[in-house]
Amino acid sequence: MKTRLRPVGGHILDIEPAELSDQVLSLAKNVHMRRGFPSRIRGRRSVYTTFPTIPYHLLNFTLNDFNWWLMFGADNIYALETNNSYDVSIPAQSAITNPYQWSSTLLNGIPCFTNGLNAPHYWTGDSGDDALPLPGFPATTLCKFIVAFRFHLFALDIDSPSGVFNNLILWSEATEPGAVPQSWTPAADNEAGSAFLADSPGRCVAGVPLGTQLMIYKPTSFHAVEYAGQQPDNIFVVRPVVRSTGLISPHALKTIGVNQAVVGNEDVVLTDGINIRSIADNRIKQTLRNSIDEENSQNVFTIYDDHARELWVCVPEPGSQFATVAHIWDERRDNWVSRDLNAVKYGTTGFVTDTAPSQVWDDDSQPWDSDLSVWNEAQQGGTQKVVLAENAAVYVEDVPETNIVNAVLQRLDLTFEDDEQRKVTSRVTVEGKGTGLSTLFIRMGARNSTDDGSGVVWGPYVQRKAEGNEYEVAGRYISVEVSNNTSAEPWTVTRITIEAENDGEF
């Protein structure tokens, strides 16, 4: 008898492996599903190596005809352009201890930011300028989060001379293109104002625009802010939307088309500003909830890779301050895989132009038909990439480098449609595509019970053979694992076939 696995469904972590269909894996780690089947992720390389800080937050933008990265450290800020770095820190900048304390946004292409300890600032895009305080922001007042919406800046979770109001939002006057607002004080001739979001408990965690609305999230609810433009007291209208779902941390949401992906305390949902839909339920929801370090849950962050259409939910596991795993949702195929992370503080997408390659036509050695780069790519970048702030370095992901991560596919506790029978395997065949198939290693394992706490007893690793590998293990439940060694060659696994015979009832 044979069992054939066609792993088109990613992995499911919340259902017992013996109950899974033949299209789903028990673990798909350090792979992607962009070809419909699990494929080894490409490499990564260190970028922007000249900055003398440990980055806690990243922001990529184009300003004054340059592709800039702002890298926010614990107590400094550096602006990077190609291989140049400039200290643009806030004068007498206070030190933060966690990535969630930084918040940044772009208004008219101008970066504005806050760390919750200094007044909110902006940067002009001139390498000779330090960060400057936002004009007109209330004196001796701090905010925990800042976001641009329409022609205004919004400040959330306010600490003022009158007290701490974590459900208060302030917004600036409207500003002209290419400028930052000059006033936050309401007046008859401007659109500045404020509102308390007091009809649900908790602080204002974060806000992100969604279409014509600004969605503001609390831990257990979220609100919509809409422009009305009626002087003097009806500039923005705030209304509650959902009172049952909120946001776990300031950087745990991303806009995806007409929806926002929101990581709450117990789920990952999509919302269009009215309805909500879980994309984690019965797949990774329980695993995600149990795998986040409670003390450092505010360091959860998300990345949306527009090019690959993948949402990364990056979490610190128990005992870790920074993210150690990314649960990755493939939007096209609605399935999940995971990715190992190494104490990552923050991640985003952007154009990586850390070097200044030659602009001489003859120096581009790639064939015309296969060269995907853009002319003058040194200034604007070719394709947005995922960029991770990891320890004291920054890495760009999914590039053809040899610095790779081992990938693992597992399917545990196969029953061959009869969990009363003991099985003896004879052969395993792994099929797929790519020059890296020959570098794959396979092992099989077995056990007789799934509820006595005993783990899978694994056999030795063997290198994959195209015609299949003879492999014998015995037990009621059969497991298989496929992994790559340090080879950089690409591979995609499309089918795993296991041959076995019954060996009597257990």
Side-chain angles (χ1 to χ4, degrees), residues 63 66 118 257 291 384 395 402:
L63 187 59
F66 292 101
N118 299 100
S291 68
Q384 278 197 331
Y395 288 89
T402 57

Side-chain angles (χ1 to χ4, degrees), residues 277-295:
R277 173 176 71 89
S278 174
I279 58 175
D281 194 28
N282 288 323
R283 293 188 284 183
I284 68 156
K285 178 179 175 179
Q286 299 300 323
T287 301
L288 179 66
R289 180 180 64 182
N290 295 331
S291 68
I292 298 175
D293 184 88
E294 183 174 354
E295 183 178 348

